Amino acid sequence: MLLFYIPTLGLKRRYLRSLIMMEAEEAAIATREEQRNILEGYLYKLRDLLESESQHPFVRYSQEPERRAIARQLKDVSSWFHTHADDSQTKDFVEKRSSLE
């Protein structure tokens, strides 16, 4: 004779809440990693723009003081990224990217 365990309704609800919480945590982790990758890509894109040749539209249509200001901000955010990215939250990545835009 086989015995089967049938969980109670309360236990099923607790399991469901646990699953919902795990899914929310996984979604938050995925969003954080996505924002981290977006910021990192943006840092590389800006660096490449600042180092591009004189015929590039960005260089032709921007002023030297503007490029210097962007380069300073890029340096600050890049330094922050390399020292704090592992411990930062999603909002930090979004704020840093917004500061560059």
Side-chain angles (χ1 to χ4, degrees):
M1 175 175 190
L2 293 173
L3 296 176
F4 293 98
Y5 172 72
I6 301 174
T8 64
L9 182 59
L11 192 56
K12 288 179 183 179
R13 287 182 179 156
R14 191 167 38 168
Y15 290 156
L16 181 59
R17 279 193 301 272
S18 292
L19 286 173
I20 290 170
M21 286 176 45
M22 284 189 281
E23 287 178 354
E25 288 173 14
E26 289 175 5
I29 290 169
T31 300
R32 179 193 174 280
E33 290 303 312
E34 179 183 23
Q35 290 303 317
R36 177 188 170 130
N37 291 339
I38 289 171
L39 176 59
E40 186 175 25
Y42 197 67
L43 292 173
Y44 287 125
K45 180 180 178 179
L46 278 179
R47 182 200 65 195
D48 292 346
L49 281 174
L50 290 170
E51 294 175 355
S52 59
E53 53 191 63
S54 62
Q55 296 303 325
H56 191 279
F58 174 77
V59 176
R60 283 191 304 177
Y61 297 111
S62 63
Q63 301 292 320
E64 183 60 33
E66 293 172 316
R67 291 191 299 273
R68 281 195 307 264
I70 293 169
R72 278 192 303 274
Q73 185 70 13
L74 176 62
K75 181 181 176 187
D76 292 343
V77 174
S78 292
S79 176
W80 172 88
F81 185 84
H82 293 295
T83 57
H84 299 293
D86 291 338
D87 303 322
S88 297
Q89 302 298 316
T90 303
K91 67 176 182 61
D92 300 323
F93 297 121
V94 172
E95 288 171 2
K96 292 296 181 182
R97 180 162 187 239
S98 294
S99 74
L100 290 170
E101 293 179 329

